[in-house]
């Protein structure tokens, strides 16, 4: 079956708004993992993540009649998730993390990377790599982490991330560059060992 | 993007495979289905509200229009027949039956009465008709009935004529149409000739005849006595408006001359010529053909 034959996210959302419950099932199957991981990596408490995740989809269900396909569906969906996270941070007094300046964390990330290099046996099982990668991402500054997750989990472009987070495209590009540099530095010992 | 970056991204995709719990999936999907299932019940409701909210306004507007129309139409039905009956023209040369002519005294009495202004009478009656006084309304009603009375008075044995006249009175149809219909159906009823013949009926009897047939409609005796006067006036007006029979007119002119009222005799002779035009010289006797000045 060609990929073009499958209905787009926007068509499915319009179908669901018109009363087609099966369209929602398809949409949910496509995006539940990305949204869940996007929220999981930015929220430390697992129970809270599930609650926030459910809130995101509930908000989507409520707002289905007001949906207009003026923007990409994923942008709209991750904006719902982003706003729900902001609300959660504000209600718990953690809101400053998303507005932290990139450069403030450069030194801390370098320190983490150095610590990783100094580990005596940082070799190479996939499991170990996955754990270190998750740890490195969770240690990223919140704006960089969010840009990285939106790019990796949501598949959003720089423009879409910029629109969603209300910053310029260059800022998004910079955040992503910083995030990758930090992750590279953090995990460089593993890749150098592979070579 | 270098090789290490690609490896990091691939490692991330491989490492990050977390999924929401199945129970959470089921809960969210159920919520989505409930929301959709509840929607169709609300949609027709709001559609029905939108569809019907203007119906009371439309009904009120329709009632208002109908009421206004009734109010506008009803006064015209009360006034118009009276006015038309009083102003109905009589055909030239009709009703020359000498055997049914009134006695000369009655003719002379009618002739001495001042002729009413042709345009003032309808206006006065229109004013009376629009008055709120119930007696005035009864008068107007009686005038309208008396205007139709000559038909019944002249052909009492004609059941068809009486039935038609009764219909004309009970229904609010225009009088000219009704009269022409009566004349066409019943040859014994000659409406144009009825006005001069009415002069033979005393003014106090003509309304009584009318009321005798309309007793079912008007039972108030006081109203009858009140209404007898304007009814007589209406009869006289109809009489004055009709051309007098030639013989009657000739008798009148001769009498005026014999009494020395030459001016009045000349006026009557002039009126006679104006009424009968080309036939005037044929009808006039030789002594009256040359007008005396």
């Amino acid at each position: 079956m060609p990929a073009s034959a499958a209905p787009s996210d926007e068509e499915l959302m319009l179908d669901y708004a018109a009363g087609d419950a099966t369209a929602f099932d398809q949409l949910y199957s496509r995006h539940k993992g990305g949204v869940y991981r996007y929220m999981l990596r930015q929220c430390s408490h697992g129970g809270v993540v599930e609650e926030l995740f459910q809130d995101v989809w509930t908000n989507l269900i409520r707002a289905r009649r007001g949906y207009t396909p003026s923007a990409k569906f994923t942008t709209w969906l991750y904006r719902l998730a982003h706003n729900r996270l902001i609300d959660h941070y504000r209600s718990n007094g953690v809101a400053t993390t998303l507005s932290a300046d990139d450069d403030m964390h450069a030194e801390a990330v370098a320190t983490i990377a150095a610590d990783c290099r100094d580990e005596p046996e940082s070799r190479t099982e996939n499991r170990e790599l996955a754990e270190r990668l998750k740890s490195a991402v969770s240690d990223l500054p919140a704006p960089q982490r969010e840009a990285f997750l939106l790019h990796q989990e949501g598949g959003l472009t720089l423009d879409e991330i910029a629109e969603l987070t209300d910053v310029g495209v260059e800022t998004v590009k910079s955040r992503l560059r910083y995030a990758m540099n930090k992750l590279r530095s953090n995990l460089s010992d593993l890749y150098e060992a592979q070579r | 993007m270098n090789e290490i970056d690609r490896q990091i991204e691939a490692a991330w995709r491989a490492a990050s495979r977390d999924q929401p719990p199945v129970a959470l999936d089921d809960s969210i999907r159920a919520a989505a289905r409930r929301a959709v299932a509840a929607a169709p019940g609300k949609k027709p409701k709001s559609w029905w509200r939108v569809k019907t909210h203007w119906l009371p306004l439309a009904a009120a507007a329709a009632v208002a229009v109908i009421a206004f129309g009734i109010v506008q139409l009803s006064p015209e039905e009360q006034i118009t027949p009276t006015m038309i009956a009083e102003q109905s023209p009589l055909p030239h040369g009709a009703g020359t039956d000498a055997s049914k002519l009134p006695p000369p005294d009655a003719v002379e009495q009618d002739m001495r009465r001042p002729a009413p202004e042709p345009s003032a009478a309808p206006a006065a009656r229109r004013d009376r008709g629009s008055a709120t006084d119930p007696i005035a309304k009864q008068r107007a009603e009686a005038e309208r009935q008396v205007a139709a009375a000559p038909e019944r008075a002249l052909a009492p044995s004609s059941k068809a004529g009486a039935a038609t006249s009764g219909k004309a009175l009970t229904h609010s149809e225009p009088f000219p149409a009704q009269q022409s219909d009566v004349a066409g159906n019943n040859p014994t009823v000659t409406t144009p000739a009825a006005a001069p013949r009415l002069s033979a009926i005393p003014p106090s009897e003509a309304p009584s005849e009318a009321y005798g047939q309309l007793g079912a409609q008007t039972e108030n005796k006081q109203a009858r006595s009140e209404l007898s006067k304007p009814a007589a006036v209406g009869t006289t007006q109809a009489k004055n408006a009709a051309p007098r029979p030639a013989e009657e007119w000739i008798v009148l002119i001769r009498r005026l001359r014999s009494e020395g009222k030459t001016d009045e005799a000349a006026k009557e002779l002039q009126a006679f010529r104006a009424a009968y035009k080309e036939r005037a010289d044929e009808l006039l006797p030789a002594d009256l053909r040359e007008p005396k000045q």
Side-chain angles (χ1 to χ4, degrees):
Chain A
M1 189 175 182
S4 60
S8 66
D9 293 341
E10 291 76 19
E11 289 172 345
L12 289 173
M13 186 61 205
L14 289 174
D15 288 346
Y16 175 60
D20 184 5
T22 59
F24 178 85
D25 289 343
Q26 293 186 58
L27 268 180
Y28 184 74
S29 299
R30 285 183 190 180
H31 298 285
K32 64 174 184 176
V35 174
Y36 182 76
R37 290 189 291 271
Y38 166 77
M39 306 195 79
L40 181 65
R41 306 294 173 225
Q42 300 192 79
C43 188
S44 56
H45 306 290
V48 175
V49 169
E50 292 178 6
E51 182 184 335
L52 297 178
F53 176 77
Q54 188 168 12
D55 288 346
V56 170
W57 288 100
T58 303
N59 290 338
L60 182 144
I61 291 167
R62 285 178 189 158
R64 66 188 183 279
R65 286 180 183 161
Y67 171 75
T68 53
S70 58
K72 201 174 169 185
F73 171 77
T74 47
T75 308
W76 183 60
L77 174 61
Y78 280 89
R79 181 184 287 278
L80 293 175
H82 170 81
N83 292 339
R84 185 65 190 92
L85 274 175
I86 296 281
D87 292 342
H88 171 68
Y89 290 152
R90 284 177 181 163
S91 63
N92 290 278
V94 216
T96 53
T97 53
L98 282 177
S99 60
D101 186 65
D102 293 346
D103 297 331
M104 292 173 62
H105 298 270
E107 189 177 350
V109 171
T111 306
I112 293 170
D115 291 342
C116 290
R117 276 195 297 270
D118 291 341
E119 285 181 3
E121 295 293 331
S122 52
R123 301 273 164 163
T124 65
E125 291 180 6
N126 287 337
R127 188 175 170 185
E128 184 185 356
L129 175 63
E131 291 301 320
R132 285 188 60 182
L133 193 54
K134 288 178 185 176
S135 175
V137 168
S138 65
D139 288 338
L140 288 173
Q144 295 175 18
R145 185 175 62 236
E146 184 178 39
F148 175 82
L149 289 173
L150 288 172
H151 184 60
Q152 294 298 322
E153 299 294 351
L156 301 184
T157 63
L158 298 180
D159 291 337
E160 291 165 354
I161 296 170
E163 180 190 346
L164 194 152
T165 55
D166 294 327
V167 296
V169 179
E170 290 301 319
T171 305
V172 173
K173 197 183 291 184
S174 173
R175 286 176 181 176
L176 278 175
R177 190 172 61 246
Y178 275 112
M180 292 306 295
N181 287 339
K182 288 167 191 172
L183 292 176
R184 200 185 309 127
S185 301
N186 200 344
L187 303 173
S188 59
D189 60 319
L190 295 177
Y191 290 108
E192 286 174 359
Q194 284 178 355
R195 290 174 188 172
Chain B
M1 185 178 287
N2 57 26
E3 182 64 26
I4 295 177
D5 289 346
R6 288 195 191 90
Q7 288 180 359
I8 290 174
E9 288 182 359
W12 177 258
R13 282 193 288 273
S16 182
R17 291 182 175 274
D18 304 275
Q19 293 288 331
V22 177
L24 190 58
D25 288 348
D26 294 342
S27 173
I28 291 170
R29 284 188 170 119
R33 279 191 290 272
R34 277 197 305 271
V36 169
K42 292 178 181 176
K43 210 168 184 179
K45 204 172 182 180
S46 62
W47 174 84
W48 175 248
R49 282 179 189 155
V50 169
K51 193 83 174 176
T52 57
H53 80 280
W54 56 270
L55 282 178
L57 293 173
V63 169
V65 167
I66 290 169
F68 182 76
I70 290 170
V71 168
Q72 290 295 312
L73 288 175
S74 55
E76 289 191 4
E77 287 182 356
Q78 289 176 1
I79 293 170
T80 307
T82 307
M83 295 170 61
I84 292 172
E86 290 172 358
Q87 294 176 346
S88 60
L90 295 173
H92 176 71
T96 55
D97 188 1
S99 64
K100 293 181 180 179
L101 284 175
D105 292 338
V107 173
E108 186 178 358
Q109 195 176 6
D110 288 338
M111 290 296 294
R112 286 175 183 173
R113 287 179 185 163
E117 289 292 330
S119 61
R125 282 183 170 76
R126 201 179 303 125
D127 292 339
R128 267 186 277 159
S130 62
T132 55
D133 187 6
I135 295 175
K137 287 182 180 177
Q138 289 176 347
R139 283 182 180 174
E141 181 67 20
E143 286 176 14
R144 193 175 59 190
Q145 293 166 356
V146 167
E151 296 175 7
R152 294 187 299 274
L154 292 171
S157 61
S158 173
K159 291 182 180 179
T164 313
S165 301
K167 183 183 176 185
L169 288 168
T170 53
H171 296 281
S172 58
E173 293 177 6
F175 267 54
Q178 190 65 36
Q179 285 181 347
S180 62
D181 186 34
V182 169
N185 294 334
N186 189 1
T188 61
V189 177
T190 53
T191 307
R197 287 174 192 168
L198 256 187
S199 62
I201 303 171
S204 61
E205 290 179 14
S208 301
E209 177 69 16
Y211 284 126
Q213 296 190 9
L214 297 167
Q217 294 183 357
T218 311
E219 294 180 2
N220 191 342
K221 293 180 180 178
Q222 187 177 359
R224 287 185 189 182
S225 61
E226 287 277 341
L227 294 169
S228 62
K229 294 177 182 177
V233 172
T235 309
T236 307
Q237 289 170 352
K239 206 167 25 179
N240 290 336
R244 189 175 287 110
E247 291 82 358
E248 185 182 319
W249 219 327
I250 290 165
V251 169
L252 173 65
I253 293 168
R254 280 179 172 161
R255 180 175 296 165
L256 289 172
R257 282 188 176 182
S258 64
E259 290 174 359
K261 299 174 181 177
T262 54
D263 290 340
E264 290 181 18
K267 287 179 182 176
E268 289 297 329
L269 188 57
Q270 196 174 359
F272 181 89
R273 288 182 180 279
Y276 289 96
K277 297 179 182 175
E278 293 87 357
R279 295 179 59 215
D281 286 334
E282 295 175 13
L283 296 171
L284 283 172
D287 57 332
L288 295 179
R289 283 177 189 166
E290 291 298 328
K292 283 187 177 182
Q293 295 298 328

PDB file of all heavy atoms in Angstrom, chain B residues 17 60-61 166:
ATOM      1  N   ARG B  17      12.099   3.746  23.570  1.00  0.00           N
ATOM      2  CA  ARG B  17      10.946   2.998  23.054  1.00  0.00           C
ATOM      3  C   ARG B  17       9.830   2.915  24.094  1.00  0.00           C
ATOM      4  O   ARG B  17       8.987   2.019  24.033  1.00  0.00           O
ATOM      5  CB  ARG B  17      11.382   1.582  22.657  1.00  0.00           C
ATOM      6  CG  ARG B  17      12.288   1.568  21.442  1.00  0.00           C
ATOM      7  CD  ARG B  17      12.663   0.150  21.055  1.00  0.00           C
ATOM      8  NE  ARG B  17      13.447   0.131  19.822  1.00  0.00           N
ATOM      9  CZ  ARG B  17      12.924   0.112  18.609  1.00  0.00           C
ATOM     10  NH1 ARG B  17      11.630   0.144  18.464  1.00  0.00           N
ATOM     11  NH2 ARG B  17      13.714   0.074  17.554  1.00  0.00           N
ATOM     12  N   ALA B  60     -46.605  35.580  15.421  1.00  0.00           N
ATOM     13  CA  ALA B  60     -47.101  36.871  15.914  1.00  0.00           C
ATOM     14  C   ALA B  60     -47.244  37.869  14.784  1.00  0.00           C
ATOM     15  O   ALA B  60     -48.227  38.617  14.707  1.00  0.00           O
ATOM     16  CB  ALA B  60     -46.155  37.405  16.982  1.00  0.00           C
ATOM     17  N   ALA B  61     -46.288  37.876  13.872  1.00  0.00           N
ATOM     18  CA  ALA B  61     -46.354  38.795  12.738  1.00  0.00           C
ATOM     19  C   ALA B  61     -47.552  38.468  11.851  1.00  0.00           C
ATOM     20  O   ALA B  61     -48.262  39.365  11.384  1.00  0.00           O
ATOM     21  CB  ALA B  61     -45.066  38.735  11.941  1.00  0.00           C
ATOM     22  N   GLY B 166     -82.960  39.788   0.561  1.00  0.00           N
ATOM     23  CA  GLY B 166     -82.541  39.368   1.897  1.00  0.00           C
ATOM     24  C   GLY B 166     -81.088  38.968   1.932  1.00  0.00           C
ATOM     25  O   GLY B 166     -80.359  39.282   2.851  1.00  0.00           O
TER      26      GLY B 166
END
